[in-house]
Amino acid sequence: IDVTTIKGTGNFGRVTEDDVLIHLGMPPKKAPPAPPAAAPAPAAAAAAPAAATPAAAAPALTGTVPMSGMMKAVAKNMEATLGTPIFRVSRTICTDKFDALYAKLKPKGVSVSALLAKAVAMTLEKHPIVNAAYDPSGAIKYNDDINVAMAVALDGGLITPTIRKCNEMDIYTVGREWRELVNKAKDGSLKPDEYNSGTFAITNLGMFGVSSFEAILPAGMGSILAIGGTKPVVVAQENGFFGVEKQMTVTITCDHRHIYGADAALFLKDLGTLLEDETDSLVF
């Protein structure tokens, strides 16, 4: 048999055994699958789904609208740092192991925010200058405690509940503490020392699909970390093959009066190492 005279039906035109059998007038071993039966037509009344009722549009706001007390406080705090000389440093971090740890701890009530707060607090132990604040008298105020403040958006405002001495807590305590603080923030029952005692701030917009962003330095702090969302990225692996890993971009904003570029870079380097290779240390 001259196979060049046979029309192949396999991948890339390959001649299969069935092609040869058909060429010889013999039945193929594998009959071609029958086309799927058409689904019965629905009744005319149900031929098309009912059109979804569009959500009512929010009333358009016009004119001058007074700000709430919380909004005024946020505006005042933002203006307070406009004269502070700052700089920013960004780093990309692989989150594969971090995501795996979160999947294990989520059923136990540990959130992403709690894990990030714990990771940052542990890293700050190695970098006290990043946890410090500038004193206008010409000094550096090193904080005895590591109090991680995390931004929470509320209806008509923004507040930063603070996990005090976060580095001294186990991850489950951090998770419970954060849940309680968020609930208090929502019902307006936070005490002043539960939102104005932060020594380092975190703001996370990753859940909104933001890839990266820059944060404004809060008054009285030396640093704030802006966290973007994770996304799959194709990377070259050590074995020479290509693979896919999840990555997120973090950007730290620092007061340049007492924190320098190398300080911020080393902090992000150690944070990256913890999240990429030492996630087990977050659980103790």
Side-chain angles (χ1 to χ4, degrees), residues 85-97:
I86 62 168
F87 70 93
R88 296 183 172 99
V89 178
S90 298
R91 184 181 180 90
T92 299
I93 297 175
C94 172
T95 64
D96 287 347
K97 292 184 178 180

Side-chain angles (χ1 to χ4, degrees), residues 133-154:
Y134 175 77
D135 189 318
S137 66
I140 301 174
K141 177 187 176 184
Y142 286 94
N143 294 295
D144 295 330
D145 300 328
I146 295 177
N147 302 335
V148 179
M150 291 190 285
V152 172
L154 301 176

Side-chain angles (χ1 to χ4, degrees), residues 122-186:
M122 291 177 62
T123 307
L124 286 172
E125 290 180 324
K126 302 177 182 179
H127 302 272
I129 189 66
V130 182
N131 191 53
Y134 175 77
D135 189 318
S137 66
I140 301 174
K141 177 187 176 184
Y142 286 94
N143 294 295
D144 295 330
D145 300 328
I146 295 177
N147 302 335
V148 179
M150 291 190 285
V152 172
L154 301 176
D155 185 16
L158 178 73
I159 198 166
T160 52
T162 302
I163 305 176
R164 290 166 290 180
K165 298 184 179 181
C166 185
N167 58 311
E168 299 179 7
M169 299 179 181
D170 63 76
I171 190 58
Y172 303 105
T173 303
V174 173
R176 289 192 298 271
E177 179 79 5
W178 181 241
R179 285 198 306 275
E180 293 175 3
L181 288 170
V182 171
N183 289 334
K184 287 183 178 181
K186 291 179 178 178

Side-chain angles (χ1 to χ4, degrees), residues 8-127:
T9 60
N11 292 336
F12 307 104
R14 181 174 61 86
V15 176
T16 66
E17 182 179 0
D18 283 345
D19 294 332
V20 175
L21 292 174
I22 294 173
H23 181 76
L24 295 175
M26 301 171 64
K29 289 186 177 180
K30 295 181 181 179
T53 303
L61 299 177
T62 60
T64 302
V65 180
M67 298 175 73
S68 66
M70 180 180 293
M71 294 171 69
K72 291 178 181 179
V74 172
K76 183 178 180 180
N77 287 337
M78 296 301 99
E79 292 175 348
T81 61
L82 289 178
T84 302
I86 62 168
F87 70 93
R88 296 183 172 99
V89 178
S90 298
R91 184 181 180 90
T92 299
I93 297 175
C94 172
T95 64
D96 287 347
K97 292 184 178 180
F98 178 83
D99 293 341
L101 177 62
Y102 169 61
K104 293 179 180 179
L105 298 182
K106 182 180 179 181
K108 300 179 181 180
V110 178
S111 64
V112 169
S113 295
L115 281 168
L116 290 172
K118 178 64 175 177
V120 164
M122 291 177 62
T123 307
L124 286 172
E125 290 180 324
K126 302 177 182 179
H127 302 272

Side-chain angles (χ1 to χ4, degrees), residues 87-89 130 200 223-226 250-254 264 267-268:
F87 70 93
R88 296 183 172 99
V89 178
V130 182
F200 185 98
S223 306
I224 181 171
L225 186 68
V250 297
T251 302
I252 190 170
T253 300
C254 299
F267 169 81
L268 292 185

